[in-house]
Amino acid sequence: MSEAAVGRIKRSGKAAAALLLAMVLTGCGFGAPSGESDGSGESAGNGDVVGTPTPLRNVPRELSTLADGKLVVYRMPGIQGKRINATAMLFTPRKSPPAGGWPLFVWGHGTVGWAPECAPSVQLQEHKKWADGPNAALLAAVLKMGIAVVAPDYEGLGPAAAGVPTGHGYYDLSSEGKSMIFAAVAAKRYLGGKASGEWVPAGWPEGGFAALAAAYYSRLSKKAEPALDYRGTISLAPVPDVPAMNKLLWRDIANASKPGTTPTERQVDQLVFANAETIYFTKTQRYAGYRVSPERIYGQHMLKFYRQNWRTCLDDLNAMVKGDIKSYLNSSPSHRLDSYPGIRGNAPNLLPENRRFFERNQGRLENSTLPGSVLWLYGTDDITSPGAVTYRVVNKMLANANDINLAVFEGAGHYDVPTVGLPLIQARLRQLFPLKP
């Protein structure tokens, strides 16, 4: 992709340096997504609020000083075709809503795990842990703008006491998108006239995909709640093509495994990333009915993790896998990164059921034309989404008449994008919402 097609933003030190050098890349596309049914025939009851929202406990001070937080239980169509309970954290500014009500910022969190107890709302209330990386500061900045924040846990993540079932739709297009959409519907129904109905989905890695999925299914929001008005999407550091990312990742791991080389900490982290989160993909595929065999995907070490630690939340799982990799490397001079008995390299990407899952989800998304505009933020040092993959997917989506503004932050890593990208996010929200000063 040429410099004319990409906004490049330089990052200096720890501070955010934000200057967008290239804005709208192509015309706005409003075509309906191709592929599966949008599920509009199942909309009755979806987005309904279950019971009375309850006050959130242990909210970080940077949010609690600005907003009232509540846990909302709502109904949505699940990955197995049944209507299920899901949960979302709702933060409303402490100051009175403006005339017409607050707009809604529907926030998709990053990967936290697959079991219900890994949900951000559960981690917050039961363990006093903010599970969504650096994003409390981002949400605080949005609240200061006079925007309400809705943060769904996603399908299958949330407190069991609220009736949330086990079964997360990790990178499943329908599950992630509808988790976002019907959280917006529920927030509007609960807030009534305090919410304007204008809404924007946004999110970081898994949440970046969820935000794009919400755009894909966005017309369902107005069918369920006519007062809702979808305005556009903001996607931070999404992983747009997992098979392509894995292919490049395993190439790097192979290069770091040559005789006479000692792997760096970053290269070990690449192997951790290539292994740990695949558990959540495999669990989702099997839950959704794909006939995936874990024995064909994992070697002995990761197969044990898959069977025994699928409920382990991401930070702890990463630490366990990293410790196992280091023990393996230290146990013999002949052990290399690419001989670790974990996921079987890039080979699982070629299995028919794996290919079918990604074609039906990420593939369907990148071949669609999303309504409205997309602000897409990416850091060049993000190992989860190599530049070549991001640029290829964005170019493909541009060819499908999508309206994408791509901002590239030089030297920014995975956890930097929400900070360095905040000025652009705020500027875009001012464009999308008629905010009062």
Side-chain angles (χ1 to χ4, degrees), residues 62-377:
E62 56 201 308
L63 295 176
S64 65
T65 56
L66 297 169
D68 294 315
K70 287 184 169 61
L71 183 71
V72 179
V73 183
Y74 64 98
R75 301 286 280 167
M76 66 166 287
I79 198 171
Q80 293 187 339
K82 301 175 183 178
R83 188 171 292 114
I84 60 167
N85 282 7
T87 50
M89 295 184 288
L90 173 63
F91 300 99
T92 53
R94 288 244 165 125
K95 58 186 179 181
S96 299
W102 298 299
L104 299 175
F105 184 77
V106 183
W107 175 254
H109 62 78
T111 300
V112 292
W114 201 81
E117 59 267 25
C118 296
S121 72
V122 178
Q123 292 295 305
L124 181 66
Q125 299 203 96
E126 303 303 326
H127 305 288
K128 300 182 180 181
K129 177 184 177 182
W130 179 261
D132 191 24
N135 296 311
L138 185 155
L139 299 186
V142 171
L143 287 162
K144 286 180 182 177
M145 297 175 70
I147 301 169
V149 172
V150 190
D153 288 320
Y154 307 142
E155 176 183 355
L157 301 178
V164 174
T166 298
H168 176 40
Y170 190 59
Y171 279 85
D172 181 276
L173 186 68
S174 176
S175 177
E176 304 264 40
K178 292 173 185 177
S179 294
M180 300 280 280
I181 284 167
F182 292 111
V185 172
K188 174 58 180 169
R189 289 178 179 170
Y190 172 66
L191 292 172
K194 292 181 179 180
S196 68
E198 295 164 323
W199 73 286
V200 164
W204 176 65
E206 181 183 358
F209 174 78
L212 294 169
Y216 183 98
Y217 288 106
S218 58
R219 63 184 178 275
L220 291 183
S221 63
K222 187 169 280 294
K223 287 182 178 179
E225 185 58 51
L228 284 176
D229 180 14
Y230 166 79
R231 306 292 292 170
T233 297
I234 301 172
S235 183
L236 287 71
V239 182
D241 188 331
V242 169
M245 176 272 293
N246 279 335
K247 186 175 182 180
L248 293 180
L249 186 61
W250 282 103
R251 183 192 66 187
D252 291 345
I253 291 169
N255 289 336
S257 303
K258 293 177 180 178
T261 60
T262 300
T264 65
E265 196 74 9
R266 177 187 172 93
Q267 289 165 337
V268 172
D269 286 341
Q270 285 183 302
L271 186 61
V272 173
F273 176 64
N275 277 272
E277 291 181 37
T278 64
I279 289 176
Y280 307 146
F281 280 113
T282 304
K283 291 294 293 184
T284 292
Q285 289 170 307
R286 289 173 64 84
Y287 183 71
Y290 292 82
R291 295 180 180 179
V292 176
S293 171
E295 291 77 13
R296 297 187 67 187
I297 295 173
Y298 303 110
Q300 182 180 4
H301 284 220
M302 278 304 297
L303 188 60
K304 182 178 179 180
F305 279 119
Y306 173 82
R307 289 170 173 165
Q308 297 183 3
N309 299 103
W310 64 267
R311 297 194 80 105
T312 304
C313 302
L314 183 64
D315 289 348
D316 290 337
L317 181 63
N318 279 340
M320 293 168 67
V321 172
K322 187 170 185 175
D324 193 60
I325 289 171
K326 287 194 168 183
S327 294
Y328 171 80
L329 293 174
N330 293 333
S331 64
S332 171
S334 65
H335 287 175
R336 317 299 301 169
L337 287 178
D338 62 358
S339 63
Y340 173 70
I343 192 168
R344 300 182 187 279
N346 192 53
N349 284 324
L350 305 178
L351 295 175
E353 288 292 85
N354 273 347
R355 292 177 61 182
R356 190 162 68 97
F357 175 79
F358 288 111
E359 286 169 0
R360 287 187 172 185
N361 292 285
Q362 290 187 306
R364 178 171 286 150
L365 179 63
E366 68 181 60
N367 283 295
S368 67
T369 303
L370 303 178
S373 64
V374 176
L375 174 61
W376 186 312
L377 296 88

